[in-house]
Amino acid sequence: MDIELDPPHGITDFPLGMPADDLKAAAAELGRIKVSNDGSAARFRSMKVLALHPQFEIVFHLEDGRTLGAAEVWIPRPGPEDITVRFRGIDVFQTPARELLGRLAAMGLTVLDETLYAYLPGLPLGFTRVAGHEVPLDTDGEPLHFQAVLTGPTGYYDYKLADG
């Protein structure tokens, strides 16, 4: 299975703006789903659909309670299926985090590196190295690979540019 990150449009088979009912049906094809705050657009309790594949998870954020606003893909675990998450041909979870950021910067993209988190505001993509279990570490003592990536709509991370 290949999942292509296509900011600001979404990810493979899940375009941003996708209606909630269509999203739930498509996510169920990946595995079990869990829906929280169904239909809610409350600021701190907005709707989420969690797709639980045996080897990975995707959190779909529906901030307006009706349509897909952002998709957060978590690193695939080993298993019977070959799962790759790519951005412009690069495997974002098999490429070491520091190398990935260097390759993205070499493409002329704005990369904001905060060690455990990295953002590409113009696209928008956001990465985290935070892991809830033991993973290989880089020389800086942090996870060698990113653990999750989020793609959202245009402007999603632009506030990071103002932080200077």
Side-chain angles (χ1 to χ4, degrees):
M1 174 187 307
D2 286 319
I3 298 172
E4 185 71 28
L5 305 171
D6 183 23
H9 308 290
I11 64 172
T12 302
D13 298 328
F14 297 93
L16 299 186
M18 182 180 212
D21 288 340
D22 295 346
L23 172 71
K24 290 181 214 175
E29 292 181 22
L30 294 173
R32 192 167 48 93
I33 65 168
K34 292 170 112 177
V35 178
S36 59
N37 305 316
D38 200 356
S40 174
R43 183 176 171 108
F44 296 108
R45 293 180 42 86
S46 62
M47 181 177 176
K48 288 185 177 69
V49 175
L50 174 62
L52 297 162
H53 181 278
Q55 290 175 244
F56 68 93
E57 292 85 33
I58 301 176
V59 181
F60 297 103
H61 301 268
L62 294 86
E63 289 92 353
D64 66 0
R66 297 183 314 274
T67 58
L68 178 59
E72 182 179 6
V73 183
W74 287 83
I75 189 169
R77 295 175 291 283
E81 198 169 345
D82 185 23
I83 301 165
T84 306
V85 179
R86 296 183 194 281
F87 174 70
R88 296 187 182 172
I90 303 170
D91 185 331
V92 300
F93 293 127
Q94 291 301 310
T95 306
R98 297 277 160 240
E99 179 184 334
L100 176 63
L101 296 180
R103 289 175 71 179
L104 296 172
M107 290 178 184
L109 301 171
T110 299
V111 175
L112 305 177
D113 182 3
E114 298 179 0
T115 307
L116 287 176
Y117 303 94
Y119 306 94
L120 281 71
L123 285 177
L125 282 176
F127 300 89
T128 183
R129 291 171 79 186
V130 175
H133 55 284
E134 285 198 34
V135 296
L137 301 179
D138 203 341
T139 56
D140 63 3
E142 300 302 340
L144 178 61
H145 298 97
F146 284 111
Q147 301 299 299
V149 59
L150 182 142
T151 185
T154 300
Y156 198 81
Y157 287 118
D158 286 359
Y159 75 94
K160 299 298 288 179
L161 294 172
D163 289 348

